[in-house]
Amino acid sequence: MLNTRVLPPNDSAHSTPLLIKNLLLSGKRYERSQEIVYRDISRYDYATFNQRICRAANALSRAGVKPGQTVAVMDWDSHRYLEMMFAVPMLGAVLHTINIRLSPEQILYTMNHAEDIFVLVNSEFVPIYKAIEGQLTTVEKTILLTDGDEKTADLPGLVGEYEQLLAAEEPEYEFAEFDENSVATTFYTTGTTGNPKGVYFTHRQLVLHTMTQAGVLGGLDSVRMLGNRDVYMPITPMFHVHAWGIPYTATLLGVKQVYPGRYDPELLVELIKREKVTFSHCVPTILQMVLNTPSAKGHDFGGMKVIIGGSALNRGLYEAAKSKGMHLSAAYGMSETCPLISNGYVNLEIEAGSEDERATYKIKAGVPVPLVEARLMNAKGEFLPHDGKTQGELVLRAPWLTQGYYREPEKSDELWAHGWMHTGDVAAIDSMGFIEIRDRIKDVIKTGGEWISSLELEDLISTSPAVKEVAVVGVPDPQWDERPFALIVACEGYEMDAKTLRDHLKPFVDEGRINKWAIPTQIASVTEIPKTSVGKLDKKRIRTEIAEWQEAQAPFLSTL
Amino acid sequence: MLNTRVLPPNDSAHSTPLLIKNLLLSGKRYERSQEIVYRDISRYDYATFNQRICRAANALSRAGVKPGQTVAVMDWDSHRYLEMMFAVPMLGAVLHTINIRLSPEQILYTMNHAEDIFVLVNSEFVPIYKAIEGQLTTVEKTILLTDGDEKTADLPGLVGEYEQLLAAEEPEYEFAEFDENSVATTFYTTGTTGNPKGVYFTHRQLVLHTMTQAGVLGGLDSVRMLGNRDVYMPITPMFHVHAWGIPYTATLLGVKQVYPGRYDPELLVELIKREKVTFSHCVPTILQMVLNTPSAKGHDFGGMKVIIGGSALNRGLYEAAKSKGMHLSAAYGMSETCPLISNGYVNLEIEAGSEDERATYKIKAGVPVPLVEARLMNAKGEFLPHDGKTQGELVLRAPWLTQGYYREPEKSDELWAHGWMHTGDVAAIDSMGFIEIRDRIKDVIKTGGEWISSLELEDLISTSPAVKEVAVVGVPDPQWDERPFALIVACEGYEMDAKTLRDHLKPFVDEGRINKWAIPTQIASVTEIPKTSVGKLDKKRIRTEIAEWQEAQAPFLSTL
């Protein structure tokens, strides 16, 4: 360490720690009369929002919530969830956002592992909660959330119904200051194997992430993605990495926020129209659903800006959205990264190029945002060149990465091998700093000594007019080690078999974009492709299903 | 302190400290081919900028600069200055930005007090340096900066000329990581009494200030003040609170930057035109000079955005700029605050009002930016209400305030009395959070038991078509304790005496905006008003001069 002139850290007498309460206060003073909307169910202003958070803090304190304890939420995406994203950490407690799309067994596992003591349960999830309740080892008290009129429920340890509890409390609370390195939130990420793993973030990390996100969404790129007069609606669940952190950023800026509850495409389009939503974010499959839903037909989404992450943004979707007036921008991150790591950007050099070149960069993972360092690493822990060609595992350093997996020392060491956070993604980085994700390390198809990116193959296959959706995985092959296998949902009026697919891909082989070994020799024409709880292609399940089909010689399989 | 779940701070294995080097890297990866311009003298891109900082770091290291040591700069606003704002702190050393407008005695005082060891001296300042050199107690080595062809100078301890030193070095440097609480910069602020006082800022503070400023300038307000395609030119000197921190923010975003050297209005307008400057910041008096300079006549500044701080933005200047297409926004801060504290903002409620009401808010000091807490305090250390009327001293907490004055324990304790940083400004805060600066505590005019704001009086007087510039101070009065005294520079073709002034102010008394005791009974019609080194009204000198004039019964004095 250099012998710099170091001041005492966190001199609380003459400085303020980075705490989530300061994000909240900013929003109120910018726009006390701006709205926060929950479907048709609730609508109030930022002044009320702040008061409700104080009421909630009083109610949670009265119920016995202590700093350092964990408070879990099982809810749809709502104003209540947003309130808990502030009230719980502002009390010094830890918010556990439960992934309600997991199986009951997995939910049970995460709640016991996170040591939840208080749980807020939406009435619709009471049956799930009751099913696992007997095996919960740490929970003491529950609070009922409801979109209806229920004032009680058959819940062990029930303190009361949320709205009634809030109504009984004062709208003021003096939130204390504490160490900015206090854990604020935790949630569980599901890998392809083993139990879900708990990531966790501190106040400092969330504040830094929020401030950086505000700068990136406001000041960067020719389009201002998020400004004070935008209307924001998330289409990534709030349990999943804080809806990408954007509710915190929107609150900081005093932006109007709309919460849709659940992701029914018709409801989403209705809310977009009615509330004049101009900014959102989602995974590609959800945007596809929104664009394809009947009420979106003929609707002009002009001016709407959408950040796409979670999976690669393919060119077909980019163009489809553009034709409806939507401005898409790719971003990259993951549960372990809070999540913002990089985002789409058109620099001067790219801007000078053709529309086609610009689009090529728009759908990449973008350039690392401020304070993030991204490198490529090989299996020996050596750095690889940023030449746009060399592939390696993307590794990261930043002030807001999870410091490990909760109570998983071995997996934490693996995550942080060689002092860098390992993403498990294979990427290339070009000389301008653009990251291109080639594949998950475990999804790369190893065939005849070559590495084929399943993502690139999916991207090329998706350009066929016959293809509505596609997933490619490697399946074991005695001769080539692995061979690519494509699952395809054909568009209405089209059929797809291995030969048609080969004809579609042949020009890309001729162009040199892929080698001929990359052409899938086996395909399955299906009506649906398995997805994970957050809407990504579930390649683990796909591989299992293919193995079962192959054994059963399913009739929808086609081979060259 | 609450018993929260605290992680180890600055776990450098799994986190990255907030260091200035990370701000620099972001800019390069966003826009490696964007330009940094210094007058007609230098023009290069961000890739070169990064290389030059590495070369400079190599040169400074070779010259013997060690972490913790202080490196001082005496230069005009230039690309070299910008390079030092990064290279010096990135080495772990402390950058002292010398206020070249101070008297040689004051410069000497600050250099000895700051314990400067290395000094970079522009050839034009060699005479000043030589004049004080014999009394410098800590300086060991010097480096010559030049806009011309000089390769050497008669400077004791001369290492060499900057460009030659850079040319001899490698364009790479591996900057180490160190504690984010390391001091990065220092500079001296001149009060109205006593010696200049040294404020100082850490890497953490500057990074947090920069990230917040980026969010505020990008995401807030209906006008995006600073986006990636803006062209930035500072018109506040770089020695003064890092040119308000904006060079760091502009670098972070990869924005084109133009440095003007010195503040000759004709040169500024020429650079604005030629380099297509769209964003700047300055004190009101400088903007007035720019707008009044011959080459600005008839020029359309359409689209140019200017932040006004340092002194109150009066309505007259706001309207004059608007008529030339400039969008002005007020901001508030000071040397001790890094400086950003609050900035102009038009919220939904104000937006719904008249153009006149909107302008009223635009010229206030604005609302506190994220992470800043602002309160009003009385002399006993009690908080006062935010009702828009009650006046008190504005006190602050934020993560980027100076933790004291360097080696001035008593003044530091005064600055931080009651745990809040005291601004020395009298303000009111309204229920929406808008700060309105009423006056410096020491400039408030105490007359007949009333407090009159000298700023408000100046604002009202400035609305007269006869008035080009005005300053009001309190002068001792045996009967009333103090009485307001106005210094006025009349517009061409106008004359101004005490009676004309009374006639102009009478309607404001009738409206109830000021009471009749506020009407100055004595005025001086002058051709120039004394200013401080940073362009603010120098009320200390004004009071001294008035006392001298009164003694000499100067003929340009007019009384009622």
Side-chain angles (χ1 to χ4, degrees), chain B residues 510-554:
Chain B
D510 297 343
E511 277 175 33
R513 286 195 57 180
I514 48 174
N515 70 46
K516 64 177 175 176
W517 310 113
I519 295 181
T521 42
Q522 302 174 79
I523 84 164
S525 186
V526 293
T527 54
E528 206 179 347
I529 293 179
K531 307 250 165 50
T532 67
S533 65
V534 292
K536 295 191 208 180
L537 299 174
D538 188 344
K539 297 209 167 170
K540 184 180 158 198
R541 258 179 65 205
I542 292 170
R543 284 193 200 91
T544 313
E545 290 193 7
I546 290 174
E548 289 166 6
W549 296 336
Q550 286 180 320
E551 199 158 324
Q553 293 187 307

Short mmCIF file of all heavy atoms in Angstrom, two decimals, chain B residues 510-554:
data_model
loop_
_atom_site.label_atom_id
_atom_site.label_comp_id
_atom_site.label_asym_id
_atom_site.label_seq_id
_atom_site.Cartn_x
_atom_site.Cartn_y
_atom_site.Cartn_z
N ASP B 510 -43.72 49.83 -1.66
CA ASP B 510 -45.18 49.82 -1.70
C ASP B 510 -45.73 48.40 -1.80
O ASP B 510 -46.74 48.06 -1.20
CB ASP B 510 -45.69 50.65 -2.89
CG ASP B 510 -45.29 52.13 -2.75
OD1 ASP B 510 -44.93 52.54 -1.62
OD2 ASP B 510 -45.31 52.86 -3.76
N GLU B 511 -45.02 47.55 -2.58
CA GLU B 511 -45.44 46.14 -2.72
C GLU B 511 -45.18 45.33 -1.46
O GLU B 511 -45.61 44.18 -1.35
CB GLU B 511 -44.60 45.46 -3.83
CG GLU B 511 -45.07 45.68 -5.23
CD GLU B 511 -44.10 45.05 -6.22
OE1 GLU B 511 -43.49 44.00 -5.89
OE2 GLU B 511 -43.91 45.61 -7.31
N GLY B 512 -44.40 45.87 -0.55
CA GLY B 512 -44.07 45.14 0.67
C GLY B 512 -42.88 44.21 0.52
O GLY B 512 -42.59 43.39 1.39
N ARG B 513 -42.15 44.30 -0.60
CA ARG B 513 -41.01 43.39 -0.79
C ARG B 513 -39.83 43.79 0.09
O ARG B 513 -39.05 42.95 0.51
CB ARG B 513 -40.59 43.35 -2.26
CG ARG B 513 -41.58 42.54 -3.08
CD ARG B 513 -41.05 42.19 -4.43
NE ARG B 513 -39.79 41.44 -4.40
CZ ARG B 513 -39.17 41.04 -5.50
NH1 ARG B 513 -39.68 41.31 -6.68
NH2 ARG B 513 -38.04 40.38 -5.43
N ILE B 514 -39.66 45.11 0.28
CA ILE B 514 -38.64 45.57 1.23
C ILE B 514 -39.27 46.65 2.09
O ILE B 514 -40.27 47.25 1.69
CB ILE B 514 -37.39 46.16 0.51
CG1 ILE B 514 -37.82 47.17 -0.58
CG2 ILE B 514 -36.53 45.07 -0.09
CD1 ILE B 514 -36.66 47.92 -1.23
N ASN B 515 -38.71 46.87 3.26
CA ASN B 515 -39.25 47.98 4.04
C ASN B 515 -38.49 49.26 3.71
O ASN B 515 -37.42 49.22 3.09
CB ASN B 515 -39.29 47.66 5.54
CG ASN B 515 -37.91 47.62 6.13
OD1 ASN B 515 -37.09 48.50 5.89
ND2 ASN B 515 -37.64 46.58 6.91
N LYS B 516 -39.05 50.40 4.12
CA LYS B 516 -38.47 51.66 3.64
C LYS B 516 -37.07 51.91 4.18
O LYS B 516 -36.31 52.70 3.61
CB LYS B 516 -39.40 52.84 3.93
CG LYS B 516 -39.65 53.10 5.39
CD LYS B 516 -40.53 54.33 5.56
CE LYS B 516 -40.88 54.52 7.03
NZ LYS B 516 -41.66 55.73 7.28
N TRP B 517 -36.70 51.24 5.28
CA TRP B 517 -35.35 51.40 5.82
C TRP B 517 -34.30 50.81 4.90
O TRP B 517 -33.11 51.05 5.06
CB TRP B 517 -35.23 50.76 7.21
CG TRP B 517 -36.33 51.20 8.11
CD1 TRP B 517 -37.33 50.43 8.60
CD2 TRP B 517 -36.56 52.52 8.57
NE1 TRP B 517 -38.19 51.18 9.37
CE2 TRP B 517 -37.72 52.48 9.36
CE3 TRP B 517 -35.90 53.76 8.39
CZ2 TRP B 517 -38.25 53.60 9.98
CZ3 TRP B 517 -36.43 54.87 9.02
CH2 TRP B 517 -37.59 54.80 9.80
N ALA B 518 -34.77 49.98 3.96
CA ALA B 518 -33.81 49.31 3.07
C ALA B 518 -33.32 50.23 1.95
O ALA B 518 -32.34 49.92 1.28
CB ALA B 518 -34.45 48.06 2.47
N ILE B 519 -34.01 51.34 1.73
CA ILE B 519 -33.56 52.23 0.64
C ILE B 519 -32.25 52.90 1.01
O ILE B 519 -32.16 53.57 2.05
CB ILE B 519 -34.64 53.32 0.35
CG1 ILE B 519 -35.90 52.63 -0.19
CG2 ILE B 519 -34.11 54.35 -0.64
CD1 ILE B 519 -37.01 53.59 -0.54
N PRO B 520 -31.21 52.67 0.20
CA PRO B 520 -29.91 53.29 0.52
C PRO B 520 -30.05 54.82 0.50
O PRO B 520 -30.63 55.38 -0.44
CB PRO B 520 -28.99 52.81 -0.60
CG PRO B 520 -29.64 51.58 -1.13
CD PRO B 520 -31.12 51.81 -0.99
N THR B 521 -29.50 55.44 1.50
CA THR B 521 -29.54 56.89 1.54
C THR B 521 -28.25 57.48 1.00
O THR B 521 -28.13 58.68 0.80
CB THR B 521 -29.78 57.38 2.97
OG1 THR B 521 -28.98 56.59 3.85
CG2 THR B 521 -31.24 57.22 3.35
N GLN B 522 -27.27 56.62 0.77
CA GLN B 522 -26.01 57.11 0.21
C GLN B 522 -25.63 56.21 -0.96
O GLN B 522 -25.74 54.98 -0.86
CB GLN B 522 -24.88 57.03 1.24
CG GLN B 522 -25.18 57.80 2.51
CD GLN B 522 -24.10 57.55 3.55
OE1 GLN B 522 -23.03 58.13 3.47
NE2 GLN B 522 -24.38 56.65 4.47
N ILE B 523 -25.18 56.78 -2.06
CA ILE B 523 -24.69 55.95 -3.15
C ILE B 523 -23.41 56.56 -3.71
O ILE B 523 -23.12 57.75 -3.52
CB ILE B 523 -25.72 55.74 -4.30
CG1 ILE B 523 -25.69 56.89 -5.29
CG2 ILE B 523 -27.11 55.50 -3.76
CD1 ILE B 523 -26.38 56.51 -6.58
N ALA B 524 -22.63 55.70 -4.36
CA ALA B 524 -21.45 56.17 -5.09
C ALA B 524 -21.60 55.70 -6.52
O ALA B 524 -21.86 54.53 -6.78
CB ALA B 524 -20.17 55.60 -4.48
N SER B 525 -21.48 56.65 -7.44
CA SER B 525 -21.55 56.30 -8.85
C SER B 525 -20.12 56.07 -9.33
O SER B 525 -19.32 57.00 -9.35
CB SER B 525 -22.22 57.44 -9.61
OG SER B 525 -22.41 57.06 -10.95
N VAL B 526 -19.78 54.84 -9.67
CA VAL B 526 -18.39 54.49 -9.96
C VAL B 526 -18.28 53.85 -11.34
O VAL B 526 -19.29 53.50 -11.97
CB VAL B 526 -17.82 53.51 -8.90
CG1 VAL B 526 -17.73 54.19 -7.55
CG2 VAL B 526 -18.70 52.27 -8.82
N THR B 527 -17.07 53.69 -11.81
CA THR B 527 -16.87 53.06 -13.12
C THR B 527 -16.55 51.58 -12.99
O THR B 527 -16.61 50.84 -13.96
CB THR B 527 -15.72 53.75 -13.88
OG1 THR B 527 -14.56 53.72 -13.03
CG2 THR B 527 -16.07 55.17 -14.22
N GLU B 528 -16.24 51.16 -11.79
CA GLU B 528 -15.86 49.76 -11.60
C GLU B 528 -16.12 49.41 -10.14
O GLU B 528 -15.96 50.24 -9.26
CB GLU B 528 -14.37 49.56 -11.89
CG GLU B 528 -14.03 48.17 -12.33
CD GLU B 528 -12.53 48.05 -12.64
OE1 GLU B 528 -11.85 49.10 -12.75
OE2 GLU B 528 -12.05 46.93 -12.74
N ILE B 529 -16.48 48.14 -9.91
CA ILE B 529 -16.72 47.70 -8.53
C ILE B 529 -15.64 46.68 -8.15
O ILE B 529 -15.38 45.75 -8.93
CB ILE B 529 -18.14 47.09 -8.39
CG1 ILE B 529 -19.19 48.19 -8.60
CG2 ILE B 529 -18.32 46.42 -7.04
CD1 ILE B 529 -20.62 47.72 -8.52
N PRO B 530 -15.00 46.83 -7.02
CA PRO B 530 -13.93 45.90 -6.63
C PRO B 530 -14.42 44.45 -6.57
O PRO B 530 -15.51 44.20 -6.05
CB PRO B 530 -13.52 46.38 -5.24
CG PRO B 530 -13.98 47.80 -5.15
CD PRO B 530 -15.20 47.89 -6.01
N LYS B 531 -13.60 43.55 -7.11
CA LYS B 531 -13.97 42.12 -7.11
C LYS B 531 -12.85 41.31 -6.45
O LYS B 531 -11.69 41.71 -6.45
CB LYS B 531 -14.13 41.62 -8.55
CG LYS B 531 -15.07 42.44 -9.40
CD LYS B 531 -16.35 41.70 -9.72
CE LYS B 531 -17.41 42.66 -10.25
NZ LYS B 531 -16.94 43.54 -11.33
N THR B 532 -13.21 40.14 -5.98
CA THR B 532 -12.20 39.23 -5.43
C THR B 532 -11.50 38.51 -6.57
O THR B 532 -11.87 38.65 -7.74
CB THR B 532 -12.85 38.16 -4.53
OG1 THR B 532 -13.65 37.33 -5.36
CG2 THR B 532 -13.71 38.78 -3.46
N SER B 533 -10.51 37.69 -6.22
CA SER B 533 -9.74 36.99 -7.25
C SER B 533 -10.59 36.03 -8.05
O SER B 533 -10.21 35.61 -9.13
CB SER B 533 -8.59 36.22 -6.59
OG SER B 533 -9.11 35.20 -5.75
N VAL B 534 -11.76 35.64 -7.53
CA VAL B 534 -12.62 34.74 -8.30
C VAL B 534 -13.84 35.46 -8.87
O VAL B 534 -14.80 34.83 -9.28
CB VAL B 534 -13.05 33.50 -7.47
CG1 VAL B 534 -11.84 32.62 -7.21
CG2 VAL B 534 -13.70 33.90 -6.15
N GLY B 535 -13.77 36.80 -8.90
CA GLY B 535 -14.80 37.55 -9.62
C GLY B 535 -16.02 37.90 -8.81
O GLY B 535 -17.01 38.39 -9.35
N LYS B 536 -15.99 37.65 -7.51
CA LYS B 536 -17.14 38.05 -6.69
C LYS B 536 -16.95 39.48 -6.22
O LYS B 536 -15.83 39.99 -6.13
CB LYS B 536 -17.24 37.15 -5.46
CG LYS B 536 -17.54 35.71 -5.77
CD LYS B 536 -17.88 35.00 -4.49
CE LYS B 536 -17.54 33.53 -4.57
NZ LYS B 536 -17.86 32.83 -3.33
N LEU B 537 -18.07 40.12 -5.86
CA LEU B 537 -17.99 41.45 -5.27
C LEU B 537 -17.11 41.37 -4.02
O LEU B 537 -17.33 40.51 -3.17
CB LEU B 537 -19.40 41.93 -4.88
CG LEU B 537 -20.40 42.08 -6.04
CD1 LEU B 537 -21.79 42.42 -5.50
CD2 LEU B 537 -19.93 43.13 -7.04
N ASP B 538 -16.14 42.27 -3.91
CA ASP B 538 -15.23 42.23 -2.77
C ASP B 538 -15.73 43.23 -1.72
O ASP B 538 -15.29 44.37 -1.66
CB ASP B 538 -13.80 42.57 -3.23
CG ASP B 538 -12.79 42.34 -2.13
OD1 ASP B 538 -13.19 42.23 -0.94
OD2 ASP B 538 -11.59 42.28 -2.45
N LYS B 539 -16.65 42.76 -0.89
CA LYS B 539 -17.32 43.69 0.03
C LYS B 539 -16.37 44.21 1.11
O LYS B 539 -16.57 45.30 1.65
CB LYS B 539 -18.55 43.02 0.64
CG LYS B 539 -19.57 42.68 -0.47
CD LYS B 539 -21.00 42.68 -0.01
CE LYS B 539 -21.90 42.67 -1.23
NZ LYS B 539 -23.31 42.43 -0.90
N LYS B 540 -15.34 43.45 1.39
CA LYS B 540 -14.35 43.91 2.37
C LYS B 540 -13.66 45.16 1.81
O LYS B 540 -13.57 46.19 2.48
CB LYS B 540 -13.35 42.78 2.58
CG LYS B 540 -12.29 43.01 3.62
CD LYS B 540 -11.39 41.75 3.66
CE LYS B 540 -10.01 42.01 4.23
NZ LYS B 540 -9.09 40.92 3.85
N ARG B 541 -13.22 45.08 0.55
CA ARG B 541 -12.55 46.24 -0.06
C ARG B 541 -13.52 47.39 -0.26
O ARG B 541 -13.16 48.55 -0.10
CB ARG B 541 -11.92 45.84 -1.40
CG ARG B 541 -10.41 45.62 -1.31
CD ARG B 541 -9.82 45.20 -2.65
NE ARG B 541 -9.93 46.20 -3.69
CZ ARG B 541 -9.94 45.93 -5.01
NH1 ARG B 541 -9.87 44.66 -5.42
NH2 ARG B 541 -10.01 46.89 -5.90
N ILE B 542 -14.75 47.03 -0.63
CA ILE B 542 -15.76 48.08 -0.85
C ILE B 542 -15.95 48.88 0.43
O ILE B 542 -15.97 50.12 0.40
CB ILE B 542 -17.10 47.46 -1.32
CG1 ILE B 542 -16.92 46.89 -2.75
CG2 ILE B 542 -18.22 48.49 -1.29
CD1 ILE B 542 -18.09 46.06 -3.23
N ARG B 543 -16.06 48.20 1.55
CA ARG B 543 -16.26 48.91 2.83
C ARG B 543 -15.07 49.83 3.13
O ARG B 543 -15.26 50.96 3.56
CB ARG B 543 -16.43 47.90 3.97
CG ARG B 543 -17.78 47.25 3.99
CD ARG B 543 -18.05 46.50 5.29
NE ARG B 543 -19.11 45.54 5.08
CZ ARG B 543 -18.95 44.28 4.70
NH1 ARG B 543 -17.73 43.81 4.53
NH2 ARG B 543 -19.98 43.50 4.49
N THR B 544 -13.86 49.31 2.89
CA THR B 544 -12.67 50.11 3.14
C THR B 544 -12.68 51.35 2.24
O THR B 544 -12.42 52.47 2.69
CB THR B 544 -11.41 49.28 2.83
OG1 THR B 544 -11.56 48.01 3.44
CG2 THR B 544 -10.16 49.96 3.34
N GLU B 545 -12.98 51.14 0.96
CA GLU B 545 -12.97 52.27 0.03
C GLU B 545 -14.01 53.31 0.39
O GLU B 545 -13.75 54.51 0.33
CB GLU B 545 -13.18 51.76 -1.41
CG GLU B 545 -11.97 50.97 -1.91
CD GLU B 545 -12.00 50.71 -3.42
OE1 GLU B 545 -12.88 51.25 -4.12
OE2 GLU B 545 -11.13 49.95 -3.88
N ILE B 546 -15.20 52.83 0.78
CA ILE B 546 -16.26 53.79 1.14
C ILE B 546 -15.79 54.64 2.32
O ILE B 546 -15.97 55.87 2.33
CB ILE B 546 -17.57 53.05 1.50
CG1 ILE B 546 -18.18 52.46 0.22
CG2 ILE B 546 -18.58 54.00 2.16
CD1 ILE B 546 -19.39 51.58 0.46
N ALA B 547 -15.16 54.00 3.31
CA ALA B 547 -14.68 54.74 4.47
C ALA B 547 -13.68 55.81 4.04
O ALA B 547 -13.73 56.95 4.51
CB ALA B 547 -14.04 53.77 5.46
N GLU B 548 -12.81 55.43 3.10
CA GLU B 548 -11.81 56.40 2.61
C GLU B 548 -12.48 57.54 1.85
O GLU B 548 -12.14 58.71 2.05
CB GLU B 548 -10.79 55.70 1.71
CG GLU B 548 -9.85 54.76 2.49
CD GLU B 548 -9.08 53.83 1.56
OE1 GLU B 548 -9.19 53.98 0.31
OE2 GLU B 548 -8.38 52.93 2.09
N TRP B 549 -13.45 57.18 0.98
CA TRP B 549 -14.15 58.23 0.22
C TRP B 549 -14.87 59.19 1.15
O TRP B 549 -14.85 60.40 0.94
CB TRP B 549 -15.19 57.61 -0.71
CG TRP B 549 -14.64 56.73 -1.79
CD1 TRP B 549 -13.40 56.78 -2.32
CD2 TRP B 549 -15.34 55.70 -2.47
NE1 TRP B 549 -13.25 55.81 -3.29
CE2 TRP B 549 -14.44 55.13 -3.42
CE3 TRP B 549 -16.64 55.18 -2.38
CZ2 TRP B 549 -14.80 54.09 -4.25
CZ3 TRP B 549 -16.98 54.14 -3.22
CH2 TRP B 549 -16.07 53.60 -4.14
N GLN B 550 -15.53 58.58 2.15
CA GLN B 550 -16.32 59.43 3.05
C GLN B 550 -15.42 60.41 3.78
O GLN B 550 -15.75 61.57 3.94
CB GLN B 550 -17.11 58.56 4.04
CG GLN B 550 -18.28 57.87 3.36
CD GLN B 550 -19.09 57.00 4.29
OE1 GLN B 550 -18.51 56.31 5.14
NE2 GLN B 550 -20.40 57.00 4.14
N GLU B 551 -14.26 59.92 4.19
CA GLU B 551 -13.29 60.78 4.85
C GLU B 551 -12.85 61.90 3.91
O GLU B 551 -12.74 63.06 4.29
CB GLU B 551 -12.09 59.95 5.29
CG GLU B 551 -11.26 60.63 6.38
CD GLU B 551 -10.44 59.59 7.14
OE1 GLU B 551 -10.96 58.46 7.34
OE2 GLU B 551 -9.30 59.89 7.48
N ALA B 552 -12.62 61.50 2.63
CA ALA B 552 -12.13 62.48 1.64
C ALA B 552 -13.26 63.26 1.00
O ALA B 552 -13.03 64.13 0.16
CB ALA B 552 -11.33 61.74 0.57
N GLN B 553 -14.47 62.95 1.36
CA GLN B 553 -15.66 63.59 0.77
C GLN B 553 -15.60 63.58 -0.76
O GLN B 553 -15.67 64.62 -1.42
CB GLN B 553 -15.81 65.02 1.30
CG GLN B 553 -16.13 65.02 2.79
CD GLN B 553 -16.44 66.40 3.31
OE1 GLN B 553 -15.68 67.32 3.12
NE2 GLN B 553 -17.59 66.53 3.97
N ALA B 554 -15.46 62.37 -1.29
CA ALA B 554 -15.31 62.18 -2.74
C ALA B 554 -16.52 62.76 -3.48
O ALA B 554 -17.66 62.62 -3.02
CB ALA B 554 -15.15 60.70 -3.06
#
